[in-house]
Amino acid sequence: MSDDSLTHEQRAVVERRGRFTVRACPGSGKTFVVARLLAHRIREWKARHAGIAALSFTNVACEEVRRSLVALRCDAFGAYPHFLGTLDSFINSFVFLPFGHRVMGCAGRPAIVGLPERPWVASGRWAWGRPACNRSGCRLEHFSWDLAGNIVRSGRRPFQCPTGHDRCSVLKREFGKDGWATPSDAAYWAVRVLESFPEVAKALVRRFPEVVVDEAQDTSEMQMRILDLLVGAGLQEIVLVGDPDQSIYEWRAAHPELFERKASGKELDWDHRSELTESRRNSQQICNAAQPFSTLASAARGTCTGIRPVLWIYDPKRPADLVPRFEEYCETNGVAPSAGSAAVLVRNRTLLNRILEVPDEVDPWHVDAGGSATRLLALAAVERDAGRVGRSLGLLDAALATLALRRATVSGARTTAMDIDRRRALTTVLERLPSAAMPLGAWADALQTMFPAAAAVAGVAVSQDEAQELRPKAFVKSGRKHVTDFLRVPTRALFGDASRVRRVQVETIHAAKGKTYDAVVVALGSRGECAVKQLGVGQPEPEQRRAMYVAMTRARSLLVIAVPTGTVREDVANFSGCDCAEVPPLAEASRTRGRTGGRSRRAGVAE
């Protein structure tokens, strides 16, 4: 296997040993380098019962590494004695599930509830029983512990508990003693296991003497603490690969500063970092334009000079007009627009819905059991069409259980794997669900027709009258009007963070992370997350700055920043790497307002 395709920076990372970090700029071939590093190490691997643990933040990232290993003819990696999977699955498989009962006080092996493939909502004996808790909209799965053992809201969103967490603290302890844990709980209990029983950490280090963590900027405090405990137990070979500027999952408890601290050399157990500063994705013009939103001292090195990014003005009342203009811009500059080559990226679903021309905040599902089941069935169809079969089967199972009134308590959730016959029956039902590309109204009509016979295959009796309850609302209230437009919207558009408009992909920045497009429009609003004034001048908030950096660096050759009507050049000083000809300076905008009767330049700007 030749290493001729590696750059000098990449080869240095592949051949390096010890405890170190790799800061990789967007498009630097991070996944390629991780796969090369694993292939390089496994070529001379001798141990029969000790292996390398290759970990990442998401299943999607793990699959990218797996595909790269297959391309390198190293497809055996991941089989015993090695491990390839998410950091959570590694912690659960080797620490929490086998040893969690030793710190939880439960009688046997614990179980995890609330995994994506097995949706769960606490009810029955786990209800709050307090009006204040009910008014706050809290659920048991919203809470876990921090490193100090204090009850906290999961994720990074601030929350002031009106009762001081006393009720949820009691319930969480009872929950653990019964052998249950949410994914956040599992990480906490795993930390307690490794701290209380150092021999477990030492045994894990003997089992996996080398660890490689991809997307390390998205690790939580609990996950990083577990890695630190393994280092303390003697782990000598560990590599953390990531980019703090691309950490956009703080709402899922990501702490990019933990990675930065190790990369800075402030921790004696870690060597100084390596860097990958050459982007194989972005042009130099795009690298330069994105630089103000990065913490790097200088811009990454691009593949070519490229076309200078541009700023466009758009009408916030008609954001969908961006799409045809974008298609024309792509064709003019030699890019054939398609869902795989061109994308419009937004920060939140409000603007996404306006571009998709979907009513804002549509909730078409009835609150009764039939409405809950319909939503689960629709989401199962969306996941099936996206190729996520495991999650779609779990959602279908939950929908059938809801209809059979078998999900009143947490009982039954302990079984995290379906038996073969059950899986076959659910697969048959899943194949018959209507396509999520259908408009919601038509999708519901088709569901009501096919579902009684399909549900019988899975052992659930649903009469034709009961099937009529599997319907969305006939209308929803939008402002002072009742609207029915959502019934003509593709079912998948009511769930996902992405959809196709004409020939262009339209999606959120989070949905686009890890992707590459030839051409990208980043659409900004005037208020809320990723607003023009929050990003265009001064020092943006870290989370918004990182989101903008991720969005801009998805583009290979063409980049457009779209700002709403009323924006002036003084509002976009941080976009100095873009052509701002379309954005007027304040003086010119003031003269224009004078000629039009003194109308405020902020008139008509989107909220």
Side-chain angles (χ1 to χ4, degrees):
M1 183 169 48
S2 171
D3 286 343
D4 293 342
S5 59
L6 294 172
T7 66
H8 175 73
E9 285 182 333
Q10 292 172 337
R11 184 175 292 106
V13 170
V14 168
E15 296 176 354
R16 188 171 180 180
R17 308 292 298 193
R19 302 168 181 158
F20 64 97
T21 62
V22 180
R23 176 164 181 162
C25 75
S28 59
K30 174 174 59 64
T31 301
F32 171 76
V33 171
V34 168
R36 282 284 190 173
L37 184 150
L38 295 171
H40 177 77
R41 294 190 176 189
I42 206 171
R43 278 185 294 183
E44 301 177 355
W45 197 260
K46 303 297 184 184
R48 296 178 59 187
H49 300 293
I52 303 172
L55 314 174
S56 192
F57 185 63
T58 64
N59 287 314
V60 172
C62 290
E63 190 57 35
E64 289 180 3
V65 173
R66 194 187 310 275
R67 286 196 297 266
S68 296
L69 286 167
V70 170
L72 293 172
R73 299 181 181 179
C74 192
D75 50 315
F77 189 93
Y80 185 88
H82 307 292
F83 180 88
L84 173 58
T86 65
L87 188 50
D88 279 336
S89 65
F90 177 78
I91 293 168
N92 294 337
S93 298
F94 296 102
V95 183
F96 172 69
L97 292 175
F99 302 109
H101 65 283
R102 301 182 69 176
V103 291
M104 295 169 68
C106 54
R109 183 183 176 96
I112 303 174
V113 295
L115 292 170
E117 65 273 13
R118 300 288 292 178
W120 172 79
V121 175
S123 59
R125 63 174 289 196
W126 306 112
W128 298 115
R130 285 190 176 181
C133 299
N134 294 329
R135 284 195 298 269
S136 299
C138 297
R139 298 202 299 264
L140 190 62
E141 60 268 31
H142 288 165
F143 298 92
S144 189
W145 294 274
D146 62 16
L147 285 173
N150 302 311
I151 285 285
V152 294
R153 182 94 169 192
S154 298
R156 297 287 294 275
R157 301 298 187 192
F159 176 74
Q160 289 293 114
C161 177
T163 64
H165 296 306
D166 55 347
R167 177 60 176 161
C168 51
S169 180
V170 171
L171 285 180
K172 291 298 279 191
R173 289 292 176 182
E174 293 179 0
F175 197 63
K177 288 180 180 179
D178 274 12
W180 307 110
T182 66
S184 296
D185 297 342
Y188 168 78
W189 291 122
V191 170
R192 297 284 86 89
V193 167
L194 297 179
E195 289 178 338
S196 303
F197 302 96
E199 62 272 21
V200 174
K202 292 177 181 178
L204 191 54
V205 170
R206 289 193 297 271
R207 175 67 178 82
F208 294 104
E210 297 193 16
V211 175
V212 179
V213 183
D214 189 18
E215 302 287 355
Q217 76 277 354
D218 291 322
T219 51
S220 67
E221 280 188 303
M222 293 294 177
Q223 293 168 336
M224 193 63 81
R225 175 61 178 158
I226 289 169
L227 294 176
D228 287 338
L229 288 168
L230 295 181
V231 169
L235 182 62
Q236 297 296 324
E237 298 286 344
I238 178 170
V239 185
L240 304 183
V241 184
D243 181 4
D245 288 333
Q246 296 188 72
S247 180
I248 57 174
Y249 292 106
E250 287 197 45
W251 55 280
R252 289 173 59 178
H255 281 261
E257 64 273 11
L258 300 175
F259 177 86
E260 290 181 292
R261 180 174 176 81
K262 285 177 168 50
S264 68
K266 293 179 180 179
E267 297 188 14
L268 298 179
D269 289 334
W270 291 81
D271 299 331
H272 290 293
R273 72 186 183 195
S274 296
E275 290 188 344
L276 299 176
T277 60
E278 181 179 346
S279 175
R280 294 185 169 187
R281 173 197 300 157
N282 311 124
S283 70
Q284 191 61 57
Q285 294 272 20
I286 292 175
C287 290
N288 294 343
Q291 165 59 24
F293 303 96
S294 168
T295 56
L296 290 172
S298 59
R301 300 193 302 276
T303 55
C304 60
T305 302
I307 299 173
R308 189 180 185 190
V310 296
L311 280 168
W312 284 354
I313 295 287
Y314 75 93
D315 183 351
K317 294 182 179 179
R318 302 178 58 184
D321 291 349
L322 278 170
V323 175
R325 183 182 180 186
F326 182 39
E327 289 178 338
E328 182 180 353
Y329 181 72
C330 289
E331 291 170 340
T332 301
N333 289 279
V335 173
S338 69
S341 66
V344 177
L345 306 183
V346 299
R347 182 67 168 92
N348 54 55
R349 283 198 60 85
T350 299
L351 186 52
L352 178 72
N353 287 342
R354 291 180 182 178
I355 296 174
L356 297 177
E357 298 183 319
V358 175
D360 288 343
E361 300 180 359
V362 168
D363 181 11
W365 318 110
H366 292 281
V367 296
D368 56 16
S372 299
T374 309
R375 184 183 185 281
L376 288 169
L377 291 168
L379 186 52
V382 171
E383 296 291 338
R384 177 205 60 192
D385 292 353
R388 295 183 283 269
V389 177
R391 176 162 167 74
S392 60
L393 288 173
L395 290 161
L396 176 59
D397 195 21
L400 292 171
T402 299
L403 292 173
L405 303 178
R406 291 199 300 263
R407 295 186 66 84
T409 69
V410 77
S411 61
R414 188 181 293 276
T415 302
T416 58
M418 302 175 189
D419 60 57
I420 294 176
D421 291 339
R422 177 70 172 168
R423 188 178 182 90
R424 286 174 178 168
L426 290 174
T427 300
T428 300
V429 179
L430 187 67
E431 291 171 348
R432 299 182 184 180
L433 288 181
S435 169
M438 296 174 64
L440 178 61
W443 183 89
D445 291 340
L447 177 72
Q448 291 169 346
T449 300
M450 57 74 60
F451 198 70
V457 175
V460 177
V462 178
S463 68
Q464 197 62 52
D465 288 340
E466 290 171 328
Q468 296 304 310
E469 297 178 4
L470 299 176
R471 67 192 190 286
K473 295 176 182 177
F475 59 84
V476 296
K477 190 172 182 179
S478 178
R480 296 183 178 180
K481 299 185 297 182
H482 289 164
V483 299
T484 60
D485 294 352
F486 66 95
L487 294 172
R488 296 190 290 273
V489 171
T491 303
R492 65 189 178 200
L494 298 171
F495 292 98
D497 291 329
S499 192
R500 182 172 176 172
V501 178
R502 293 166 60 105
R503 292 175 288 169
V504 172
Q505 184 79 354
V506 182
E507 60 189 357
T508 63
I509 295 170
H510 284 83
K513 190 173 186 294
K515 299 179 183 178
T516 299
Y517 294 99
D518 292 323
V520 167
V521 170
V522 184
L524 306 181
S526 60
R527 296 182 184 177
E529 297 176 324
C530 283
V532 174
K533 278 207 166 183
Q534 292 175 340
L535 289 165
V537 292
Q539 293 292 328
E541 290 293 324
E543 190 171 0
Q544 297 196 42
R545 171 185 59 76
R546 291 193 292 265
M548 192 66 200
Y549 185 69
V550 168
M552 295 174 74
T553 54
R554 298 311 93 195
R556 181 179 284 114
S557 56
L558 300 179
L559 174 63
V560 177
I561 309 298
V563 297
T565 305
T567 302
V568 296
R569 201 164 298 173
E570 286 77 3
D571 294 337
V572 292
N574 288 338
F575 295 100
S576 57
C578 301
D579 183 346
C580 301
E582 192 168 310
V583 182
L586 178 60
E588 181 179 327
S590 299
R591 289 195 298 271
T592 302
R593 288 200 305 275
R595 290 194 297 269
T596 57
R599 184 186 178 193
S600 169
R601 71 179 179 91
R602 292 297 178 196
V605 176
E607 296 297 319

